[in-house]
Each structure stands twice: as C-alpha cells, then as structure tokens.
Amino acid sequence: VPKKLVTTVPGCADDALAGLVACNPSLRLLQGHRVVLRSDLPAIRGRVALLSGGGSGHEPAHAGYIGKGMLTGVVAGAVFASPSVGSVLAAIRAVAQAGAAGILLIVKNYTGDRLNFGMALEWAQAEGAEVRMVVVGDDCAFAAPGKAGRRGICGTVLIHKVAGALAEAGASLDEIVEKVTAAAKAMGTLGLSLSPCSIPGSKPSFQLAEDEMELGLGIHGEAGVRRMKVLPADKAVETMLEHMTDPSNASHLPLTPGSSVVLVVNNLGGLSCLELGIVAGAAVRCLESRGIRIARALVGSFMTALEMAGVSLTLMLVDEELVGLIDAKTTAMAWPNIPTGPATTRREEVPAPTEGPRKPQDEPGIGPGTARVERVLERVCSTLLDIQDKLNELDREAGDGDCGHTHARAAQAIREWMRSRPPPAAPAQLLSGLADVLLEQMGGSSGVLYGLFLTAAARSLRGRSDSPAWADAMDAGIEAMQRYGGAAPGDRTMLDSLCAAAQALHSLRSPGADPLRVLAAAVQSAEAAAEATRHMEAGAGRASYIRSSRLEQPDPGAVAVAAVLGAVLD
C-alpha cells in the first residue's frame, strides 16, 4: 500500500477540510456535516447561492472555490465517494435561511452525485426552497458515451467561475442556469496520466507499465480510452487535442480556426510543475497552429485525482461576455490570479542589453613575456588533464564525481583561448582574460569560484608588477571567494590549499625575498594542506551533506588547486 502523509485513514477527508478552514478566515464548517460555507453568509441575501461538491481527493476542488464571486458552499464526501443526501440538504437549508434568492447546485456527472444532490433537491423543493441543478459532463474521452453520459471533470471549475460571477452581478437563477448550461455545452476536457492513484489505505486502482501512459482516464482512476507508449510532451498534447476535437468522437468539442477559447492545463496531482509548464507551452503552440485564439490560459492544480501523475486539458469556447465572467474578481483561494490577456507563444522578447565598454586589454604582443605565459598555461592544462580521473575518483567519495571533468573542461577552454589569440603578458589582463574564459566555459561552482578569485586578483594587480603585488592579489582573490562562497579555511574545500599558499606568499612582502624560493614554499604548503583535508570534516560544498566518517580521501578541489600551483612553478 503506497505511503500517505495522513493522521488517520478514516479521518483524512475531515482533516483536509479542517486544515483548509483553519488557514482561511473566510470559510466556516457547518456543524455536524462535512460542509464548508462562506463565513459572510448574510452577504448572499437577495442573491443566488451556488453549492457544489462531490468526493474528496480532488483538492483544491471543491472547497478551494468558495468565496465572493464563486461558490457559496461545498458538500464533501469521503475520498472519491459522493456526499450524503442529509449533508447536501443541510447546506441547502443553511443558504436558504441566510436569505438566498434561489439556489443552484452544480454537480459533476456521476451517478452517486446526481442521486444524492437530486434527492436533496427534491426534498428542499418540497420544503418550498427555490433550487435548481446543473449537471456538468465535459469529458471528451469516449467516442460513444454510454447511458451514463460524459463524466464531469476539470471543466466544472470554469462553470463554478461563470456561475459565481453572474450571481455576484445579481443575475437571476433562471438566467444563471441558462448561461451556464450553454457554457457547459461549449466545453471539453481530456486527461492523460503516467501513473495511477491510490485512496489512503488502499492499493493503486490500476497499474501502468514503466513505458506506458493512459489517455482519457477519469479523476478517480477509472479506465480511459487507450494505453500507449509514453510520448514526448508535445506529441502527447497533439494526441490529446486531436482526440478532443475529432468529429468522429461523439463527445468531441467542435473547434474551428478563428475560435476563441479559455484553456485550462490542470495538474492531476502528481505531475511536477516543470512538466506542467512544458505541457502548457505545447498546448498553446498546438492550438495556435490550428488558428485558435487562447483568450485566457489557467495553469495549475484545479481538480486533482490524489497523487496521479497526469494532466488534463480543458477548452471552453468563449465570447466576450464569458471572458468577462472568467476575469471577474473572486476571493476564492484556489482561483489563480490570472492576467487579463491572451496566451501566445509569439511574445516579443526583451532585447538583450548592450554590453558596456570592454575593459581595456593590452595589445597581445608576441614577445618573451607572452611565450612564457603560454608555456605556463600549457603546463597547467596538461596537469589538469592528467589528473582528471584522479579528481573524479576523489569527488565520487563526497560529491557527484565530476570534479575532474569540470577541471578538464577548464583546461580545454584555456587551450582553445590561447589558440584563438596570444594571451596578454600583463598580469592584470591575463588573469582577467582567464576569469572570462572559466566563467563562460568551466561550469559548476568551481567555474564561478575560480572566476571570482581571478577577477578580484586581477583588480588588485592593475598597474603593478612588483612581487608584493602577487601576495596582495592572492589575498584579494581568496577574500572574494570567501565572501560569496561561504567557506572558510578548515572546511575541506579548495580554499584550504589556497589559504596555505597565500600564507607562504606573504613572505614576498619582506625586502630581499627570493620570489622562486617563496613560490616553492607556497606550492609545498598547498600540497600539504590538500593532503590534510583528508582528516577534516566538510563544512561547506556538497561534501558537507555527507557524514565525515565516510570521507577518507583528500578534497578534490584542494588537490586541483595544489596541482595548478605546482604547474605554475615548474
């Protein structure tokens, strides 16, 4: 039985409603019933009240749509079960006693819902209440719907919205029934799923193979029209829209070029928001290619099937009046804050900003300085390529095993850069140029950290070429890395090697210091510090999420830095 985060299986529908009401001051529970009502019931006096409901497990439907401009109240059943006649009747009486000028029940087309809401309606009418019922069947799955007719699914939410806007504007019960009946006829929905769903405490209602998806299934996990191999999102959307608009399908929605629609891209509960965005883009593209205008698009979770990893598409044919009703204000918490404007994939992009003036580069000179720089950089690149496998191996212990690849990418990028133009010999320009190359090509956190280090070091070296300048540059680079990277010496990162080398380079500030001897000491310090990371607990970076007892190798970043410094000195 799949895991569920519930308190008790029998109480899950009540607990979910209680949670919603606890977090929303504009909602109230009706004592003794699984019914939620607007807290400002007196505000509906003289207006039509709208009640809906059905089984739980479709959240945010239906209670999320209670509010000014949408539903007055909702009657909920247990998970995937119709609410009782007694609760529907209690909800009708509550709004009738609040002075509603007529009551409309909006019911999804399922036998249980029709029976329970219908029985309560008969009872209420016998008590003298003015009650009507609209049954919504928007499912486009079945080419030849049986006696039960089309199932009521996500399109029902649009009917809540249209009816709510009309009621808020003071329309009569007859007018609302007429307009929502027409809107419901001009609407179709189709679902597609990659997985089943399971009622808390039960096994999944059906199984889908790893490589299968199912078209046209219901919001309770009822069977669809066909199973097929998993398709890419754009092809899946095309298949859905073709099925929904196919004239040989008796439950199709007639769509002709030039039609205007409201599109709802509905998450059936377990699809990631990333996938939902991809599906939404594909749906807009596909409709536009058919000459359809998407007056409004709603993307999100509107009517779910517990944790089903799937999506449904709803299309409602609209005119200006219907778009106005969709746009009308509502306080219902689950209705999205949608911008008033059409959906299109043809939006003009913001032009890319023009680059500021480039920092002046020394003319690349061909001379002894440039040749020496090329030799040093070539040694650095060969070293990094030679230790690629070793770095990957060390990184597998603590990270994602790509440290060697990342440094090899840097080496290849530097070689490419040197081939395209001789590197500048002036230290500030050289480090600045290297920073640009690494930021663009190296990738990973390492690329940004090296970029930060080199940019700050280059700034510190501007107009200087004395030995102490290199000690200052090293300190400036490390300071920038610490400021943005958040690591400190002792955290088992590349900083351990760098800080040890920087400490040794401080000797360059003493008069008469031998630069080569100081550099040799710096490399030795860096190598010793890299080796010492073997015994440290990671305090930053990806390795910090791993128990220290498992880290028995030196840090790959620290090893790489020591190797680079060694190559510079050779």
Side-chain angles (χ1 to χ4, degrees):
V1 173
K3 291 179 280 197
K4 301 277 180 188
L5 201 55
V6 297
T7 304
T8 67
V9 168
C12 59
D14 290 310
D15 292 348
L17 277 188
L20 184 76
V21 172
C23 295
N24 192 329
S26 60
L27 301 180
R28 295 284 185 276
L29 283 164
L30 182 62
Q31 198 175 9
H33 294 279
R34 206 182 278 132
V35 170
V36 182
L37 297 164
R38 275 171 63 168
S39 60
D40 59 345
L41 270 190
I44 64 156
R45 178 170 293 283
R47 292 177 197 277
V48 173
L50 305 173
L51 297 174
S52 188
S56 297
H58 306 303
E59 292 72 18
H62 296 271
Y65 302 113
I66 298 173
K68 193 176 154 133
M70 273 189 98
L71 300 176
T72 315
V74 156
V75 193
V79 176
F80 291 176
S82 292
S84 69
V85 176
S87 287
V88 179
L89 187 58
I92 294 172
R93 285 173 177 156
V95 295
Q97 285 163 21
I103 299 157
L104 177 61
L105 308 180
I106 300 170
V107 179
K108 301 193 300 299
N109 188 26
Y110 294 101
T111 307
D113 287 2
R114 282 201 322 268
L115 287 171
N116 288 298
F117 278 86
M119 182 71 245
L121 174 138
E122 293 293 327
W123 225 319
Q125 283 180 340
E127 291 177 1
E130 194 189 350
V131 192
R132 303 274 300 276
M133 181 158 99
V134 168
V135 177
V136 182
D138 55 318
D139 187 10
C140 291
F142 298 103
K147 205 169 186 178
R150 294 164 65 181
R151 300 177 291 208
I153 44 180
C154 186
T156 311
V157 175
L158 292 179
I159 297 303
H160 293 339
K161 183 68 183 66
V162 169
L166 286 166
E168 190 57 36
S172 69
L173 183 55
D174 287 344
E175 190 188 341
I176 295 173
V177 169
E178 185 191 329
K179 286 190 170 161
V180 300
T181 304
K185 283 200 176 92
M187 178 171 74
T189 300
L190 187 66
L192 174 80
S193 189
L194 308 175
S195 83
C197 59
S198 57
I199 291 174
S202 306
K203 288 190 167 142
S205 48
F206 62 94
Q207 290 300 330
L208 271 174
E210 278 296 300
D211 61 346
E212 280 185 326
M213 53 181 16
E214 184 155 343
L215 185 73
L217 71 184
I219 52 170
H220 310 92
E222 314 94 316
V225 279
R226 73 171 189 266
R227 285 192 179 184
M228 50 201 184
K229 295 289 180 205
V230 171
L231 295 170
D234 53 352
K235 296 279 182 291
V237 166
E238 265 173 49
T239 306
M240 291 172 82
L241 290 172
E242 265 163 34
H243 186 86
M244 288 171 77
T245 57
D246 178 0
S248 70
N249 169 3
S251 53
H252 80 287
L253 179 72
L255 262 198
T256 49
S259 307
S260 268
V261 297
V262 165
L263 164 70
V264 182
V265 182
N266 171 54
N267 190 342
L268 286 171
L271 206 66
S272 69
C273 296
L274 178 103
E275 292 160 283
L276 198 66
I278 293 168
V279 169
V284 171
R285 246 190 330 275
C286 195
L287 288 166
E288 280 186 323
S289 70
R290 293 164 168 241
I292 306 299
R293 181 178 177 274
I294 303 130
R296 299 287 180 271
L298 287 73
V299 183
S301 299
F302 301 103
M303 187 175 289
T304 61
L306 293 167
E307 82 281 31
M308 188 182 279
V311 65
S312 67
L313 299 178
T314 300
L315 297 173
M316 179 194 260
L317 288 161
V318 291
D319 54 16
E320 266 182 51
E321 186 194 7
L322 273 176
V323 172
L325 295 168
I326 293 291
D327 285 343
K329 287 269 173 278
T330 176
T331 60
M333 63 188 296
W335 184 259
N337 182 16
I338 47 170
T340 53
T344 175
T345 54
R346 300 171 191 146
R347 296 202 200 286
E348 209 176 304
E349 294 186 346
V350 177
T354 52
E355 280 199 35
R358 294 290 293 164
K359 40 190 182 288
Q361 292 278 9
D362 273 9
E363 281 308 305
I366 306 293
T370 297
R372 190 164 64 246
V373 166
E374 281 180 330
R375 274 200 309 279
V376 170
L377 287 179
E378 184 43 54
R379 272 202 310 276
V380 169
C381 292
S382 318
T383 302
L384 289 176
L385 290 165
D386 289 345
I387 62 171
Q388 177 177 355
D389 292 340
K390 176 186 172 183
L391 292 178
N392 281 338
E393 190 54 46
L394 291 174
D395 196 28
R396 267 191 282 277
E397 296 270 325
D400 44 8
D402 68 348
C403 183
H405 294 320
T406 306
H407 282 81
R409 238 193 335 269
Q412 278 145 356
I414 292 168
R415 278 182 170 170
E416 205 55 50
W417 179 63
M418 288 196 294
R419 270 202 289 275
S420 69
R421 47 158 296 164
Q429 274 81 12
L430 173 65
L431 298 193
S432 206
L434 283 170
D436 288 351
V437 171
L438 297 186
L439 282 168
E440 214 165 291
Q441 310 279 343
M442 186 174 184
S445 305
S446 311
V448 186
L449 287 166
Y450 281 117
L452 277 166
F453 175 84
L454 291 167
T455 302
R459 195 175 299 136
S460 169
L461 280 170
R462 253 186 227 151
R464 295 176 66 187
S465 56
D466 51 310
S467 292
W470 288 96
D472 295 345
M474 191 79 159
D475 287 351
I478 287 170
E479 197 272 322
M481 280 174 108
Q482 284 186 274
R483 186 164 60 234
Y484 295 106
D491 280 343
R492 198 183 191 276
T493 68
M494 65 203 306
L495 263 179
D496 290 303
S497 294
L498 275 173
C499 289
Q503 205 54 46
L505 286 183
H506 287 172
S507 304
L508 290 173
R509 293 177 181 141
S510 311
D514 176 354
L516 282 178
R517 192 167 290 162
V518 173
L519 271 176
V523 170
Q524 267 181 328
S525 300
E527 286 168 348
E531 182 56 30
T533 59
R534 185 191 290 272
H535 311 295
M536 288 178 189
E537 188 160 332
R542 206 181 296 244
S544 60
Y545 303 115
I546 293 170
R547 285 199 309 278
S548 56
S549 57
R550 289 178 44 205
L551 299 169
E552 289 150 8
Q553 299 289 349
D555 177 69
V559 170
V561 164
V564 168
L565 290 169
V568 168
L569 181 68
D570 275 355

